[in-house]
Amino acid sequence: MQQLRRNRRLRTNDAIRSLVREHIITPNDFLVPLFVVEGDNIKEEIASMPGYYRYSLDLLVQEVKDIWSMGLKSVLLFVKVPDSLKDNNGTEALNADGLMQRAIKTVKNTVPEMLVMTDVALDPYSSYGHDGIVEDGYIINDETCEVLAKMALSHAIAGADFVAPSDMMDGRILAIRELLEQENYKNTGIMSYSAKYASAFYGPFRDALDSAPGFGDKKTYQMDFANREEAIKETLMDIEEGADIVMVKPGLSYLDLVRDIRDVVDVPVAVYQVSGEYAMLKAAAAQGWLDHDAVMLEQIMAFKRAGAHIIASYFAKDVIKLIG
Ligand code: PBG
């Protein structure tokens, strides 16, 4: 038979490729993670995340203005807590005048329209570096959920638009949702880290916040990376409990889950391109082994193609600078 169908006709030149392209990247796709520290005039580069910084609140102001001016409209806040304020119960997490609560206000006072999401987990506040309260070497679930709910409420009171629980305790979404409703924070959203795996890709992040676990690992609460169907179960349960947005984390090695989940849920799906993924590309590019910008765009597009509505990425500003 004579060849009639030639797929390469649709790839002949840039104009036709642009016309038939299925996905595009825009600033609306991104959630920008921000690391905040105590002090004045601090902008410190994170050793294992070249080109990414921790900011004190005074310098956070300019960074937030820059992000907004690039068309990026959502941030995800993390704080580095001094060791002297850490304990087993994460008491400092509930301090109405704590660093996170002040960071939320700083962002909102700088750009009121900026969407502010906050990390909710005890690890930056825990003397053990765990996401919950430790008892006899075990991370106790229900007591941790109670603290997480109070922590989420204090973020809502400080002005957070969404809280983002990243701890993987059972029932924490319900605990948070109930307390927010009860206290009349009905419009404060929850972005749940629903399918969060126990991953070695978080290493550089734990450097950034000095939050590595002091003993053991996180395998009794974060998911086993051998499991796929369990991710669907976790995600559907979080939606039932009241999650407005669900998330898969890490990103690139877990794109199968992004697609699986996108196919079965009716809420927006976020993906987190985590610190180790950022570090890998920066390292390879510094060696001259990979073309940084080309690989970065290819990876971001992979998230969109897999079905992500929202991409949390340390590359957000780099991408927008590149695509204009
Ligand atoms: C805290 C938290 C972690 C990350 C986001 N929130 C670390 C962890 O669970 O150990 C990882 C983010 C990254 O690696 O970029 N619970």
Side-chain angles (χ1 to χ4, degrees), residues 26-208:
T26 84
N28 296 332
D29 295 322
F30 291 101
L31 185 53
V32 185
L34 287 175
F35 296 119
V36 183
V37 278
E38 289 287 4
D40 289 312
N41 203 27
I42 296 173
K43 178 183 178 183
E44 358 175 80
E45 191 171 33
I46 299 152
S48 47
M49 298 179 71
Y52 224 78
Y53 302 86
R54 300 179 198 97
Y55 295 91
S56 53
L57 293 177
D58 52 340
L59 298 192
L60 185 66
V61 168
Q62 190 54 48
E63 181 62 12
V64 166
K65 287 182 187 163
D66 287 352
I67 289 169
W68 184 258
S69 73
M70 298 174 82
L72 294 161
K73 292 182 276 196
S74 306
V75 295
L76 178 58
L77 299 179
F78 297 94
V79 291
K80 181 172 187 284
V81 179
D83 276 346
S84 58
L85 295 177
K86 297 184 184 185
D87 63 23
N88 184 26
N89 293 309
T91 311
E92 175 62 16
L94 309 183
N95 179 354
D97 199 32
L99 184 56
M100 175 61 92
Q101 289 78 358
R102 280 178 284 134
I104 296 165
K105 290 177 191 161
T106 300
V107 178
K108 281 291 181 189
N109 288 338
T110 307
V111 181
E113 304 89 339
M114 184 76 87
L115 188 89
V116 176
M117 297 202 187
T118 58
D119 190 62
V120 173
L122 294 191
D123 49 332
Y125 298 93
S126 159
S127 39
Y128 293 109
H130 273 290
D131 290 34
I133 302 167
V134 178
E135 209 175 87
D136 299 330
Y138 188 74
I139 318 312
I140 50 175
N141 195 86
D142 300 8
E143 295 80 354
T144 297
C145 288
E146 274 177 43
V147 180
L148 294 171
K150 288 182 192 153
M151 182 178 181
L153 176 63
S154 92
H155 295 180
I157 292 170
D161 299 289
F162 272 73
V163 292
S166 67
D167 56 288
M168 292 298 283
M169 298 301 125
D170 288 325
R172 89 271 208 220
I173 303 301
L174 183 64
I176 292 170
R177 187 70 268 159
E178 281 183 343
L179 188 60
L180 289 174
E181 291 286 321
Q182 185 190 312
E183 298 296 321
N184 217 10
Y185 284 88
K186 296 189 166 60
N187 289 327
T188 304
I190 302 178
M191 178 176 76
S192 171
Y193 288 66
S194 330
K196 175 169 177 176
Y197 287 85
S199 169
F201 282 105
Y202 308 148
F205 172 97
R206 293 175 188 170
D207 293 342

